[in-house]
């Protein structure tokens, strides 16, 4: 194969990979929907001999004592789930107030169990809560990884032990020989035992360039007991709801664990349908399908819906000021209030699904008879049809509620109030009305949490939300087919309007839902078109420069380049500078201006990026901004560490500065001198500076960079002081200084030196600049970031950190990571982490690619250096 054809194939493969990464979420959503559709079809066929009335009879036959036992086991399971987080925090060596941990874990699992994707949905709640309690992003990632892996390994261990104990019975249920079940169980237990042994005394598991430090034996044993107790209690919730059967609890536990595992692996929200299919396939020979369906419905209500309602009640209780002010409760109450948007969003999703499902099931005959005496048929028909559409509206509003949009709050509030009235007009649905009333009260009590001024109509739904809507509609369709299985379809059904005609009413509601959902999906997929905001006008740049000079962040002077777009806060006192490449809208560093406006600016920027069809990312942000980024659903990935020198303590004395002092003294002996040229004097030496810059670029075979770095442009260089190093009167090196009027911080941008400059000139330049700035009263010097610094392969570190640590250790062929950090370490700085905040891991990789293109001046600039 020729080099040219190889290059073409490589270009095609890289294009394919980029396309896959770009549309990965859509592909995963489509795959999950396909799996769910196939499972739904299987369930429909499996229940061919079951009728809706049989399921209602099975539900009615369940005794209150069984329901009470199910509630008790649900409480025990969630108690165990709280200790997942407690053990995770103990594993990473952090201690937090137990009430705050309990509230966080309870709400994370209440939301995660309901909407599915626990590591993402529950993980987002943990990030919001624990970041406010002082945990670093890396520590939160380790907590999420711990609870996720603990549940997975615990599920494997429990299912293997249960299967091993009752293999013949499970074999008869699943149709697999007991010998192979025992072999598989032993293999699983052997692998888990090997991991347990490898983790004794916190030993590391080394795999090539990666090192994974496992929990010690004590932590692993304790967590296994917690996981086993949790899974056993959760299984008991469903077991006590089953009718009398000869299926023993150990046998049932094995089937339950397998069903939970398949539900998680399917990526279907909450494992809906997949879990039920496995349970029914495993137990249908021993228990009637109608009784199983009734028990599964109750199980979903008790184990999934009830905790969500309790969490909502907890949220309302925290609004009671007298209770919330009690010692020990105040912090948990405040934390619950901050998690309100995620919880209310989940409740909105649940109620929306409830309204949709209720539109396709028949109303009790006694209720219809009562309504017919007081309410005209057109009103009943209209209330029934519109309630289903309001359900879809609540599902759509759920996304905006999670983002704290005030428009979503109004849509959800008005929709819930109308649905509350319709609940009486269409069916006297008291349970439905009670849940809607709880939702309305929760919205009113937490009105101040939804302070994002944005229109819900401008928010395009992502693939996961579109898939969730599709799953709900497919479920409604299957329920409609199941309920009216014995009703022969005819075209006349669409036009039958009678109190007793339930099937036509459900058909019309489902058709309306399908049309409305299709319109929403098309609007989300086809809109908005990608657009690019305009660059700053001269007046906007001057406004940004004025703000920059009045605050403490010296790097903000990069706004003088004029190559970045600007987004100002409503007051005009703060701004974000950002660039756009591909679909990435990348904000550079923290917002500039008033810190109290930063959180709102983050929301404003993310909203603008989404409205423009892009993904929002924040590049090189400080820990201060992480909480605001977590609130908008962004994840933080560490980029490296920023070196900050305390100028008040900087003196080139003592053994610590021996090397730097020697370089400085050598420069003096070589005849080097430093002078600071103020902006009004730079024009006189501009041509000499350009000569040094051009020689430096040619010597390093590189081109000017942009975005996070300045370029040698006349207007930019003339706007700032310049530190100049001369040798025998000739300029051999220079650095542009970035300062603000507060003198809180100073830094340098362009650093260029002539190839003829003596060795050690840059050390001399920096040492001289620091001495000058200290004398001028500046408090801190920013040496810039050391990429991938501080990302060593630590105990249970996230994959991102381990990859970064490996590249830092072995990536000299790509970039002198260690050399850059070693140079900055000469000045004994304080190291402060810097992060990339973006929606997910794939988004982080794509955003970093786009950052590279922004800095390098596009693809052509990157290729040509």
């Amino acid at each position: 194969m020729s080099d040219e054809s190889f290059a073409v194939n490589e270009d095609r493969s890289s294009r394919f990979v980029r396309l896959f990464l770009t549309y990965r979420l859509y592909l995963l959503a489509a795959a999950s929907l396909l799996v769910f559709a196939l499972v739904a079809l299987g369930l429909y066929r499996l229940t061919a001999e079951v009728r809706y009335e049989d399921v209602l009879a099975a539900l009615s036959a369940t005794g209150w004592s069984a329901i009470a036992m199910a509630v008790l086991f649900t409480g025990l399971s969630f108690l165990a789930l709280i200790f997942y987080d407690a053990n995770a925090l103990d594993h990473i060596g952090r201690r937090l107030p137990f009430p705050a941990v309990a509230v966080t874990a309870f709400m994370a699992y209440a939301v995660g169990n309901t909407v599915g994707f626990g590591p993402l949905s529950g993980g987002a709640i943990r990030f919001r809560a624990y970041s406010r309690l002082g945990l670093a992003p890396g520590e939160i990632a380790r907590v999420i990884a711990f609870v996720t892996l603990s549940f997975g390994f615990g599920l494997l261990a429990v299912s293997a032990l249960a299967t091993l104990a009752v293999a013949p019975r499970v074999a008869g249920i699943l149709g697999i020989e007991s010998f192979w079940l025992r072999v598989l169980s032993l293999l699983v237990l052997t692998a888990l035992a090997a991991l347990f042994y490898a983790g004794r005394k916190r030993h590391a598991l080394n795999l090539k360039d990666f090192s994974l430090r496992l929990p010690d034996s004590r932590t692993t044993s304790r967590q296994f007991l917690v996981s086993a107790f949790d899974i056993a209690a959760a299984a008991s919730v469903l077991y006590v709801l089953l009718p009398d059967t000869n299926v023993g609890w150990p046998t049932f536990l094995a089937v339950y664990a397998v069903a939970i595992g398949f539900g998680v692996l399917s990526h279907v929200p909450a494992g809906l349908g997949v879990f039920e299919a496995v349970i029914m396939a495993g137990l249908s020979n021993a228990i009637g399908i109608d009784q199983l369906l009734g028990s599964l419905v109750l199980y979903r209500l008790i184990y999934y819906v009830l905790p969500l309602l309790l969490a909502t009640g907890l949220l309302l209780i925290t609004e009671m000021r007298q209770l919330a002010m009690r010692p020990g409760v105040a912090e948990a109450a405040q934390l619950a209030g901050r998690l309100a948007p995620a919880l209310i969003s989940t409740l909105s999703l649940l109620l929306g699904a409830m309204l949709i499902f209720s539109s396709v099931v028949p109303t009790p005959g006694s209720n219809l008879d009562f309504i017919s005496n007081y309410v005209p048929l057109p009103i009943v028909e209209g209330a029934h049809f519109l309630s289903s559409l309001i359900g879809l509206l609540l599902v759509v509003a759920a996304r905006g509620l999670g983002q704290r949009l005030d428009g979503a709050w109004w849509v959800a509030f008005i929709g819930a109030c109308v649905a509350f009235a319709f609940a009486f007009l269409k069916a006297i649905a008291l349970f439905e009305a009670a849940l809607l009333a709880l939702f309305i009260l929760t919205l009113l009590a937490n009105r101040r949490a939804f302070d994002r001024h944005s229109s819900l109509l401008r928010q395009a739904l992502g693939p996961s939300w579109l898939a969730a809507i599709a799953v709900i509609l497919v479920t409604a369709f299957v329920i409609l087919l199941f309920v009216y299985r014995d009703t022969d379809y005819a075209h006349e059904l669409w036009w039958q309007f009678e109190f007793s005609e339930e099937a036509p009413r459900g058909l019309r509601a489902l058709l309306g839902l399908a049309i409305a959902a299709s319109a929403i999906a098309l609007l989300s997929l086809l809109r908005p078109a990608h657009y690019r905001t305009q660059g700053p006008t001269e007046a906007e740049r001057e406004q940004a420069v004025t703000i920059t000079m009045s605050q403490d962040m010296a790097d903000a002077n990069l706004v003088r380049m004029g190559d970045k777009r600007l987004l100002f806060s409503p007051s005009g006192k703060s701004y974000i500078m950002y660039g756009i490449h591909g679909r990435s809208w990348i904000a550079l560093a923290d917002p500039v201006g008033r810190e109290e406006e930063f959180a709102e600016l983050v929301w404003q920027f993310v909203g603008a990026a989404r409205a423009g069809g892009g993904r929002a990312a924040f590049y090189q942000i400080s820990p201060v901004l992480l909480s605001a980024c977590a609130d908008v659903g962004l994840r933080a990935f560490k980029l490296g560490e920023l070196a900050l020198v305390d100028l008040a303590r900087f003196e080139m004395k003592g053994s610590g500065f021996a090397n730097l002092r020697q370089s400085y003294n050598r420069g003096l002996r070589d005849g080097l001198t430093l002078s600071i040229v103020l902006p009004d004097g730079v024009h006189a030496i501009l041509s000499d500076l350009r000569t040094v810059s051009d020689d430096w670029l040619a010597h390093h075979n590189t081109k000017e960079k942009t975005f996070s770095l300045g370029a040698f442009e006349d207007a930019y260089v003339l706007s700032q002081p310049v530190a100049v190093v001369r040798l025998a009167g000739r300029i051999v090196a220079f650095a542009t200084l970035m300062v603000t009027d507060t003198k809180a911080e100073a830094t340098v941008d362009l650093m260029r030196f002539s190839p003829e400059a003596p060795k050690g000139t840059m050390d001399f330049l920096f040492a001289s600049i620091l001495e000058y700035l200290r004398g001028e009263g500046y408090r801190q010097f920013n040496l810039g970031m050391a990429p991938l610094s501080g990302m060593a392969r630590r105990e249970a570190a996230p994959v991102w950190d381990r990859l970064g640590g490996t590249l830092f250790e072995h990536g000299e062929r790509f970039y002198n990571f260690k050399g850059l950090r070693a140079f900055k370490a000469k000045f004994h700085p304080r190291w402060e982490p810097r992060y990339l905040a973006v929606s997910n891991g794939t988004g982080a990789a794509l955003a970093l690619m786009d950052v590279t293109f922004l800095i390098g001046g596009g693809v052509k600039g990157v290729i040509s250096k």
Side-chain angles (χ1 to χ4, degrees):
M1 181 183 291
S2 65
D3 291 342
E4 183 178 355
S5 61
F6 177 77
V8 171
N9 289 333
E10 186 178 26
D11 181 63
R12 287 176 179 172
S13 61
S14 63
R15 190 181 305 133
F16 174 79
V17 170
R18 186 175 180 88
L19 283 173
F20 174 77
L21 292 176
T22 301
Y23 296 103
R24 168 178 167 270
L25 294 178
Y26 290 94
L27 294 173
L28 290 176
S32 298
L33 182 58
L34 178 61
V35 169
F36 178 75
L38 293 174
V39 169
L41 178 61
L43 280 173
Y44 179 72
R45 291 180 175 176
L46 190 63
T47 58
E49 303 300 325
V50 180
R51 296 299 178 263
Y52 179 64
E53 294 76 13
D54 300 332
V55 177
L56 291 181
L59 282 170
S60 302
T62 305
W64 286 106
S65 59
I67 293 175
M69 289 294 293
V71 171
L72 173 62
F73 283 121
T74 297
L76 293 175
S77 175
F78 272 80
L79 178 62
L81 290 174
I82 290 173
F83 281 95
Y84 276 74
D85 282 52
N87 287 344
L89 291 167
D90 182 68
H91 172 62
I92 67 172
R94 294 299 301 268
R95 291 190 179 277
L96 296 177
F98 185 78
V101 174
V103 168
T104 301
F106 179 71
M107 289 192 172
Y109 284 110
V111 170
N113 287 348
T114 304
V115 303
F117 309 110
L120 297 179
S121 54
I125 289 180
R126 288 186 178 89
F127 199 100
R128 288 187 176 118
Y130 291 143
S131 62
R132 294 182 183 275
L133 293 172
L135 265 63
E139 293 175 320
I140 300 172
R142 291 162 65 189
V143 169
I144 296 172
F146 183 93
V147 298
T148 303
L149 292 175
S150 295
F151 176 76
F153 288 141
L155 189 64
L156 278 174
V158 170
S159 58
L161 287 171
T163 302
L164 194 63
V166 290
R169 186 58 189 268
V170 176
I173 291 176
L174 300 180
I176 303 174
E177 291 186 15
S178 60
F179 172 77
W180 294 112
L181 278 178
R182 285 198 172 105
V183 169
L184 181 60
S185 300
L186 287 173
L187 288 175
V188 169
L189 292 173
T190 301
L192 293 176
L195 282 176
F196 177 81
Y197 180 78
R200 70 194 190 286
K201 299 181 180 179
R202 306 179 72 88
H203 288 176
L205 181 63
N206 297 310
L207 300 172
K208 293 185 178 180
D209 291 332
F210 297 101
S211 178
L212 176 64
R213 188 168 296 278
L214 300 169
D216 57 46
S217 301
R218 177 175 172 271
T219 302
T220 304
S221 302
R222 183 176 59 194
Q223 184 55 42
F224 170 73
L225 293 177
V226 170
S227 300
F229 184 80
D230 160 44
I231 297 167
S236 298
V237 175
L238 179 55
Y239 187 75
V240 297
L241 294 172
L242 295 174
D244 293 337
T245 175
N246 58 355
V247 177
W249 186 83
T251 304
F252 176 79
L253 179 63
V255 176
Y256 178 89
V258 172
I260 288 291
F262 274 102
V264 172
L265 293 175
S266 69
H267 289 288
V268 174
L272 186 64
V274 179
F275 172 81
E276 284 79 3
V278 176
I279 290 291
M280 291 172 67
L283 300 179
S284 58
N285 292 333
I287 304 174
I289 294 293
D290 54 341
Q291 295 173 318
L292 264 179
L293 278 176
S295 299
L296 286 168
V297 170
L298 279 176
Y299 167 75
R300 286 283 184 181
L301 290 174
I302 294 173
Y303 193 76
Y304 289 81
V305 177
L306 182 60
L308 186 65
L309 297 179
L310 290 177
T312 305
L314 173 66
L315 193 61
L316 285 174
I317 292 174
T318 58
E319 295 299 318
M320 300 170 60
R321 300 297 181 187
Q322 292 182 349
L323 176 63
M325 294 304 294
R326 291 184 180 178
V329 180
E331 188 172 24
Q334 185 181 20
L335 192 60
R338 288 171 175 171
L339 299 178
L343 183 62
I344 294 174
S345 170
T346 306
L347 186 57
S348 178
L349 178 67
L350 177 68
L351 292 180
M354 177 192 70
L355 291 175
I356 290 173
F357 296 156
S358 69
S359 68
V360 296
V361 297
T363 304
S366 58
N367 290 19
L368 276 179
D369 292 339
F370 180 82
I371 292 174
S372 64
N373 295 324
Y374 301 98
V375 183
L377 178 61
I379 294 180
V380 174
E381 293 283 357
H384 191 277
F385 183 80
L386 292 176
S387 289
S388 64
L389 296 182
I390 292 174
L392 180 62
L393 192 65
L394 289 180
V395 172
V396 174
R399 180 178 182 272
L401 290 171
Q403 296 175 356
R404 294 170 41 207
L405 302 184
D406 58 352
W409 186 92
W410 280 108
V411 168
F413 177 72
I414 295 173
C417 290
V418 175
F420 177 79
F422 284 170
F424 296 96
L425 294 177
K426 68 174 185 176
I428 315 182
L430 298 180
F431 179 73
E432 187 176 296
L435 292 183
L436 288 167
L438 175 65
F439 182 58
I440 292 169
L441 289 175
T442 307
L443 285 172
L444 290 173
N446 293 274
R447 173 67 183 93
R448 64 184 181 278
F450 300 90
D451 53 0
R452 285 281 299 122
H453 304 298
S454 182
S455 170
L456 178 66
L457 300 178
R458 294 181 58 192
Q459 303 296 312
L461 294 177
S464 59
W465 280 94
L466 292 177
I469 292 175
V471 165
I472 292 172
L473 292 185
V474 171
T475 304
F477 178 67
V478 173
I479 292 174
L480 180 72
L481 292 180
F482 172 75
V483 171
Y484 301 106
R485 188 190 297 273
D486 296 328
T487 301
D488 294 329
Y489 175 78
H491 295 296
E492 292 78 12
L493 286 174
W494 297 99
W495 314 111
Q496 291 180 1
F497 294 92
E498 297 289 343
F499 275 105
S500 59
E501 295 298 334
E502 294 283 0
R505 198 170 292 138
L507 279 173
R508 288 189 290 268
L510 190 60
L511 177 63
L513 286 167
I515 294 173
S518 298
I520 291 170
L522 285 174
L523 286 174
S524 297
L525 293 173
L526 301 180
R527 178 186 70 84
H530 295 183
Y531 72 86
R532 298 293 183 264
T533 55
Q534 298 298 317
T537 63
E538 188 61 33
E540 289 175 332
R541 185 159 56 172
E542 288 300 322
Q543 179 184 355
V545 170
T546 301
I547 296 172
T548 296
M549 296 306 292
S550 66
Q551 52 83 59
D552 297 340
M553 192 170 71
D555 272 338
N557 279 284
L558 284 168
V559 75
R560 299 176 185 271
M561 274 289 295
D563 62 333
K564 288 168 279 294
R565 297 165 171 83
L566 299 175
L567 178 68
F568 289 93
S569 64
S571 71
K573 301 296 184 182
S574 308
Y575 70 90
I576 283 177
M577 50 182 165
Y578 65 99
I580 300 177
H581 189 276
R583 290 186 58 241
S584 297
W585 290 44
I586 304 166
L588 179 60
D590 292 4
V592 183
R594 296 179 174 177
E595 188 172 341
E596 61 269 19
E597 296 183 339
F598 287 3
E600 177 60 29
L601 259 177
V602 169
W603 279 103
Q604 194 177 336
F605 177 72
V606 171
R610 288 170 176 164
R615 74 174 68 85
F618 290 82
Y619 179 65
Q620 290 192 13
I621 60 172
S622 71
V624 172
L625 204 66
L626 292 180
S627 179
C629 289
D631 282 342
V632 296
L634 302 184
R635 289 180 58 195
F637 300 85
K638 191 172 184 180
L639 292 174
E641 293 179 310
L642 192 74
L644 299 169
V645 179
D646 185 352
L647 292 175
R649 299 182 178 181
F650 176 76
E651 286 186 289
M652 286 190 294
K653 297 178 181 178
S655 58
F657 289 95
N659 293 333
L660 183 63
R661 187 169 59 249
Q662 291 173 7
S663 298
Y664 177 76
N665 291 332
R666 186 189 312 118
L668 292 176
R669 291 194 300 270
D670 290 338
L672 298 179
T673 60
L674 176 91
S675 61
I676 304 297
V677 182
L678 298 179
D680 55 2
V682 175
H683 191 275
I685 61 171
L686 188 62
S687 60
D688 294 332
L689 297 179
R690 185 181 295 108
T691 299
V692 173
S693 178
D694 291 343
D695 290 345
W696 185 85
L697 291 171
H699 179 73
H700 289 84
N701 190 27
T702 190
K703 295 183 179 295
E704 294 284 8
K705 307 300 181 186
T706 56
F707 190 60
S708 64
L709 300 169
F712 195 98
E713 295 181 0
D714 290 359
Y716 181 65
V717 176
L718 290 170
S719 67
Q720 304 166 95
V722 180
V724 174
V725 176
R726 289 183 171 89
L727 178 64
R730 184 169 63 90
I731 297 177
V732 294
F734 73 89
T736 58
L737 299 180
M738 294 195 291
V739 297
T740 69
D741 292 338
T742 67
K743 291 191 174 183
E745 183 181 86
T747 188
V748 298
D749 183 20
L750 297 176
M751 296 171 287
R752 309 283 166 87
F753 58 90
S754 172
E756 291 80 22
K759 183 179 180 181
T761 297
M762 296 308 291
D763 285 353
F764 174 83
L765 172 63
F766 269 93
S768 301
I769 289 174
L770 265 63
E771 287 284 1
Y772 165 79
L773 293 171
R774 185 168 67 92
E776 291 294 313
Y778 287 88
R779 300 194 294 274
Q780 180 174 271
F781 184 77
N782 178 353
L783 276 166
M785 193 176 73
L788 305 185
S789 172
M791 298 178 69
R793 293 160 291 173
R794 302 164 302 187
E795 174 190 343
V799 174
W800 179 275
D801 275 36
R802 297 201 300 273
L803 287 173
T806 300
L807 188 57
F808 182 84
E809 292 292 332
H810 307 291
E812 293 88 351
R813 62 182 351 186
F814 306 108
Y815 189 83
N816 188 18
F817 297 106
K818 287 185 176 180
L820 181 60
R821 193 186 196 283
F823 171 78
K824 296 180 179 183
K826 294 179 183 179
F827 300 90
H828 299 280
R830 182 183 85 254
W831 297 98
E832 187 175 284
R834 286 296 181 267
Y835 299 92
L836 169 72
V838 70
S839 55
N840 53 58
T842 304
L846 293 174
L848 282 180
M849 290 172 59
D850 289 328
V851 167
T852 302
F853 291 134
L854 281 173
I855 295 173
V859 178
K860 183 178 179 181
V862 172
I863 294 175
S864 60
K865 293 188 179 181

